[in-house]
Amino acid sequence: MTALWRPPNLAAMRPGYALYNHRFAPFSARSAATTAAEIAHLIAGRTSALVAAMFFAVVLAAQAQESVEEAALPAWSEPTLPSSEPAPSTQAAPLPSALESLPSTSAEPLPSSSAPLPTSEEAFPPSSDPWSSSTNYTTAQTSVIGSPAAGGPYGGFSTKNIALGEPTSQPRRFYYGLLFTVRGVWDDNIFLTHTHKTSDYYFAIEPQLTLGFGDIQGRSRSYLRLDYMPSGLLYVDHSDEDAFNQLIHLEGGYSTGRLRLSLSQDVVLLQSANLNSFIDTTGLWANTDANAPTRMNIFNTRARAEYDLTGKLYLQGEFDSYTYFYPNNISDYTVSGGLYLYYKWLPKVSVGVGGTFGYNWVDDPTPNQSFEQVNLRLNYEVTAKLGLYASGGVEFRQFNGNRNTYDTPVFEVGLTYYPFDGSTFTLAAGRRIYNSGFEPDQDFANTYVVGRFQQRLFHRLYFGLAGGYENADYFAAKDNIDAPRNDNYWFIEPSLDVLITRWLSAGVYYLHREDSSNVDFFSFDDNQVGVRATVRF
């Protein structure tokens, strides 16, 4: 069975981004999230859940140790390069989403092993796409990298989500998978404060279920996919900080040859200070807008339609709806649409031009806003090992009130590179505008860059290194408002994991993250050391 990726950063979703909670009726997601958390605590007490998780991990480790044959490690040598020629594509096949990554080569079997070990993507399958703002958790592709929709900088809707792609495999009519991850973490600043830091140990229990029907990997034919990941955080000394997060992704597609349709829905219910996502749950990105443990609910609807006009021209229509709901703070809601014309300039190069427009409703006192974007896009598959996506343009934002139009550049860039077997490098960068959830009458321009490198060593050992930087520059959404705040946030996370069996892996990681703000109250630094074990079925 195809292994699934290990989740990451819905802990990395940040507050105060472009979505609005309608004020004319109670927001049902808030009560749903609260009820879910209460039910979780009633079903399993903190102590019993912790004991059960530890006992389960010990049993698995013991069984794994007995089942692994002792094998001599192969001699160190330069790995074999995969073929540089991409797999053939057809005119009817749609461009894959940017969340779909390029393929890798399978690992060679160990001399004394009865079956070959999985590749690094099979052993530690994070999410699929490194930079698309939608959450298309699909498998590898060999055709041109598609253009992502405009999205936020947090969680599953962001180009900040970088991870390795899943391995290629033959399409199946029905697909299912289950990952179960347990982490034990020491955190020296659980409240992300500037002074009087508080440390604690916490345990994270993170199962992930995936169900699919149809071509959920290539998405060149009709398909339907569901991903669900609940995440429980249990603190040793601060049980009142226990959190229950939920991530839900539903996606479907339909193709008739010239016409290709896709629709996805994401629901993210968060109770912690970190921004979790399917890609990395260790909390690489913090909610620096709030800079404190904060409840946050995100709802994202994304629709795409592509139609081939000729052999070289095709149209792409886009619709997006984002809701960022902050209980007792400033929520927002955005609806946007776009139309782009693409030209297949070369067999491996597509260029597009078009525009996006939308309206942004924001809770009082921040005014409602409208915006327009003009963008150029580029999809370039250099080889089967190297892919590039770029989109750049200008946004014009208007505010209800006496504020002048705010004009600013916006862009997204993504790069995936497989230099040789067992190595993957992903890089993403972007700039977008968001509403602040905690600074009244203010928005901010968010500019970021993030990269990740992973290398397989001796077939069983995997070294990873992730790093990122973002700048949040606040500006007034009304005249006569002072908005001096400017934040510079960065993180680095080295990790080391070992594949014990084909279904069990364990590892250790270190995370340092730091926010330097010109408003001292929002500055912080945080260090975490964690161990983890993942079982895949």
Side-chain angles (χ1 to χ4, degrees):
M1 190 193 89
T2 303
L4 295 179
W5 65 272
R6 181 186 59 78
N9 172 7
L10 276 151
M13 300 186 160
R14 178 165 172 177
Y17 288 55
L19 301 169
Y20 162 82
N21 174 41
H22 291 288
R23 296 184 287 276
F24 56 78
F27 201 91
S28 60
R30 178 180 180 180
S31 58
T34 304
T35 303
E38 293 174 352
I39 292 174
H41 281 287
L42 289 175
I43 292 177
R46 177 170 170 273
T47 303
S48 59
L50 177 58
V51 171
M54 295 177 65
F55 177 78
F56 184 57
V58 170
V59 172
L60 290 176
Q63 292 179 347
Q65 184 65 28
E66 295 173 358
S67 63
V68 176
E69 296 182 17
E70 186 161 345
L73 294 177
W76 178 261
S77 61
E78 186 70 19
T80 304
L81 292 176
S83 172
S84 61
E85 302 204 8
S89 58
T90 63
Q91 176 65 27
L95 289 177
S97 147
L99 280 166
E100 301 165 340
S101 52
L102 303 176
S104 60
T105 305
S106 302
E108 299 178 1
L110 291 176
S112 61
S113 175
S114 59
L117 288 172
T119 65
S120 59
E121 291 80 6
E122 294 173 317
F124 308 103
S127 171
S128 41
D129 193 18
W131 43 74
S132 173
S133 43
S134 66
T135 16
N136 301 323
Y137 310 108
T138 59
T139 53
Q141 294 293 311
T142 55
S143 54
V144 177
I145 297 175
S147 58
Y154 305 120
F157 318 134
S158 171
T159 59
K160 288 180 179 179
N161 286 330
I162 50 165
L164 301 182
E166 300 174 21
T168 56
S169 62
Q170 296 298 321
R172 290 183 286 172
R173 187 171 181 82
F174 180 72
Y175 178 96
Y176 67 93
L178 176 63
L179 290 177
F180 186 87
T181 299
V182 178
R183 293 187 292 121
V185 184
W186 175 79
D187 188 338
D188 74 346
N189 191 2
I190 63 174
F191 298 112
L192 302 182
T193 57
H194 178 56
T195 58
H196 307 294
K197 294 167 41 172
T198 301
S199 63
D200 200 356
Y201 295 89
Y202 71 86
F203 292 87
I205 302 174
E206 299 161 338
Q208 184 198 347
L209 173 68
T210 295
L211 299 175
F213 184 83
D215 186 19
I216 71 171
Q217 301 185 2
R219 294 191 299 175
S220 60
R221 295 179 293 277
S222 300
Y223 69 96
L224 183 65
R225 177 166 184 163
L226 170 67
D227 294 271
Y228 175 62
M229 185 180 75
S231 175
L233 303 181
L234 307 173
Y235 286 84
V236 173
D237 296 326
H238 298 80
S239 59
D240 53 336
E241 297 300 319
D242 290 354
F244 180 66
N245 303 320
Q246 296 185 80
L247 312 175
I248 304 169
H249 174 76
L250 179 64
E251 179 186 358
Y254 178 73
S255 176
T256 62
R258 295 172 68 98
L259 177 65
R260 299 171 293 278
L261 304 173
S262 65
L263 177 67
S264 66
Q265 177 66 54
D266 292 273
V267 178
V268 180
L269 309 176
L270 301 175
Q271 294 182 334
S272 59
N274 300 328
L275 299 176
N276 279 347
S277 76
F278 280 99
I279 296 176
D280 192 325
T281 58
T282 60
L284 303 180
W285 299 101
N287 192 332
T288 55
D289 189 33
N291 201 9
T294 304
R295 288 186 56 198
M296 178 183 185
N297 299 329
I298 300 177
F299 303 86
N300 170 32
T301 303
R302 180 178 187 266
R304 296 292 182 268
E306 292 182 359
Y307 184 76
D308 293 326
L309 299 174
T310 68
K312 285 185 171 293
L313 287 176
Y314 70 93
L315 280 175
Q316 178 175 281
E318 303 176 351
F319 171 81
D320 292 277
S321 172
Y322 295 92
T323 300
Y324 286 68
F325 175 63
Y326 291 94
N328 305 318
N329 288 291
I330 303 172
S331 302
D332 60 90
Y333 170 66
T334 297
V335 172
S336 67
L339 183 64
Y340 289 83
L341 177 65
Y342 281 87
Y343 175 68
K344 297 178 182 178
W345 184 24
L346 297 172
K348 296 181 179 180
V349 179
S350 294
V351 294
V353 61
T356 298
F357 59 92
Y359 195 83
N360 175 212
W361 292 267
V362 194
D363 277 346
D364 291 333
T366 304
N368 295 341
Q369 305 162 29
S370 59
F371 61 90
E372 304 83 34
Q373 292 183 5
V374 178
N375 293 304
L376 294 174
R377 293 177 174 177
L378 170 68
N379 299 316
Y380 182 25
E381 183 191 15
V382 183
T383 68
K385 301 185 297 177
L386 178 62
L388 172 67
Y389 166 78
S391 175
V394 180
E395 176 174 303
F396 310 94
R397 182 169 290 256
Q398 301 84 38
F399 306 83
N400 289 2
N402 54 3
R403 170 69 160 88
N404 294 331
T405 300
Y406 182 83
D407 305 332
T408 184
V410 291
F411 68 91
E412 286 185 342
V413 177
L415 172 71
T416 295
Y417 181 43
Y418 296 83
F420 42 80
D421 182 29
S423 298
T424 301
F425 175 74
T426 55
L427 179 70
R431 176 182 171 86
R432 301 203 59 79
I433 305 301
Y434 302 99
N435 307 124
S436 173
F438 298 86
E439 300 287 355
D441 297 320
Q442 297 181 39
D443 294 351
F444 61 92
N446 182 274
T447 306
Y448 63 89
V449 59
V450 58
R452 182 184 181 100
F453 171 76
Q454 187 170 42
Q455 175 65 56
R456 186 182 68 243
L457 305 172
F458 307 115
H459 290 272
R460 290 182 180 270
L461 199 61
Y462 299 82
F463 170 75
L465 180 64
Y469 166 80
E470 75 171 1
N471 171 260
D473 187 15
Y474 288 73
F475 62 91
K478 288 182 180 179
D479 280 345
N480 303 318
I481 295 295
D482 187 25
R485 182 178 169 187
N486 187 286
D487 286 36
N488 291 282
Y489 173 87
W490 65 276
F491 72 85
I492 186 169
E493 184 188 63
S495 62
L496 195 63
D497 294 86
V498 60
L499 183 63
I500 301 174
T501 70
R502 294 184 62 86
W503 51 269
L504 175 63
S505 62
V508 60
Y509 66 91
Y510 166 73
L511 171 62
H512 176 84
R513 51 186 185 169
E514 185 172 329
D515 184 24
S516 176
S517 174
N518 60 352
V519 180
D520 288 342
F521 176 80
F522 295 102
S523 297
F524 70 86
D525 65 89
D526 180 37
N527 296 282
Q528 297 183 27
V529 178
V531 295
R532 59 192 174 203
T534 298
V535 180
R536 50 192 56 83
F537 301 94

